[in-house]
Amino acid sequence: MTQASNGGRAEARPSAALPTLVVIDMQQVFRDPASQWATPGYDAAAECIRLLVDAADGPVIWTRFVRDPSESGAWQAYYERWDECREEPDSAAWDLTMPVGDEHAILSLPTFSKWGDELAALTAEHPELVVCGVATDCCVLSTVLGAVDAGKFVTVVTDACAGATDEAHEQACALMGMLSPMVQLAGTADVVARAAARKSEPAARS
């Protein structure tokens, strides 16, 4: 995936603070081929996410989309369209499909965007986020937009994301790439290499 152009200008990205890895909605409801919300490319993205989590040298936060049974306002119309996804909050459909470390945080919300007071507090000391997960064109996109509005630098790991369709994924990546230098598009190999380089430089942790 080609990184977004910034017109040749150097990106004023933070170098001292370690980035926070935010893994968006890697849940059964998006992996299950029988689900109305099945996401093609889910398993391929999960393989990349495993590499990112293993390489992470900063905090790791997992998010979950969990339906609000009150379905207030427009949400009722939304769930009428996706009626097979009207699962209760304790349903296994919302379970994460990947192992979560004891030191990792889990944030559950009934909204597309996972950016809000909770995620802001969890990342208060970390000006840069590395974002991956599903769906690129929905929860990933909306979370990234909220984060950059709050002044975060965001790296979107494109091959560690999956969209409702391949075309939707590409379109969402292109939209986010237009927000350079606030948003940077990168591949898993590049992000893992950067983390390895930081780990080899003790000064980066000081």
Side-chain angles (χ1 to χ4, degrees), residues 56-78:
D57 52 347
V60 178
I61 300 171
W62 300 79
T63 76
R64 296 193 313 144
F65 181 90
V66 179
R67 168 181 166 267
D68 180 353
S70 69
E71 295 184 6
S72 60
W75 285 106
Q76 182 175 357
Y78 181 77

Side-chain angles (χ1 to χ4, degrees), residues 60-170:
V60 178
I61 300 171
W62 300 79
T63 76
R64 296 193 313 144
F65 181 90
V66 179
R67 168 181 166 267
D68 180 353
S70 69
E71 295 184 6
S72 60
W75 285 106
Q76 182 175 357
Y78 181 77
Y79 283 109
E80 287 173 356
R81 177 185 178 186
W82 305 107
D83 59 306
E84 294 177 15
C85 297
R86 273 180 158 150
E87 300 282 354
E88 293 301 314
D90 60 353
S91 169
W94 311 122
D95 288 351
L96 294 170
T97 65
M98 303 181 66
V100 177
D102 292 340
E103 72 279 16
H104 299 170
I106 299 176
L107 175 61
S108 301
L109 289 171
T111 51
F112 298 141
S113 176
K114 301 309 182 294
W115 184 262
D117 292 342
E118 298 97 331
L119 190 51
L122 288 169
T123 62
E125 298 180 1
H126 301 268
E128 182 173 5
L129 309 182
V130 174
V131 176
C132 55
V134 300
T136 321
D137 46 305
C138 186
C139 294
V140 172
L141 174 62
S142 57
T143 301
V144 168
L145 293 177
V148 297
D149 270 347
K152 297 289 187 182
F153 285 101
V154 179
T155 295
V156 178
V157 190
T158 56
D159 57 350
C161 295
T165 65
D166 290 343
E167 181 181 15
H169 168 79
E170 293 293 339

Side-chain angles (χ1 to χ4, degrees), residues 2-85:
T2 302
Q3 293 185 16
S5 170
N6 62 4
R9 296 185 298 274
E11 294 186 4
R13 283 180 166 259
S15 58
L18 298 175
T20 298
L21 176 63
V22 181
V23 185
I24 305 291
D25 301 356
M26 295 299 289
Q27 297 168 258
Q28 184 63 30
V29 70
F30 303 113
R31 184 187 186 194
D32 182 359
S35 170
Q36 287 181 318
W37 290 346
T39 306
Y42 184 101
D43 288 339
E47 288 301 315
C48 291
I49 291 170
R50 288 188 181 92
L51 297 175
L52 294 170
V53 172
D54 288 344
D57 52 347
V60 178
I61 300 171
W62 300 79
T63 76
R64 296 193 313 144
F65 181 90
V66 179
R67 168 181 166 267
D68 180 353
S70 69
E71 295 184 6
S72 60
W75 285 106
Q76 182 175 357
Y78 181 77
Y79 283 109
E80 287 173 356
R81 177 185 178 186
W82 305 107
D83 59 306
E84 294 177 15
C85 297

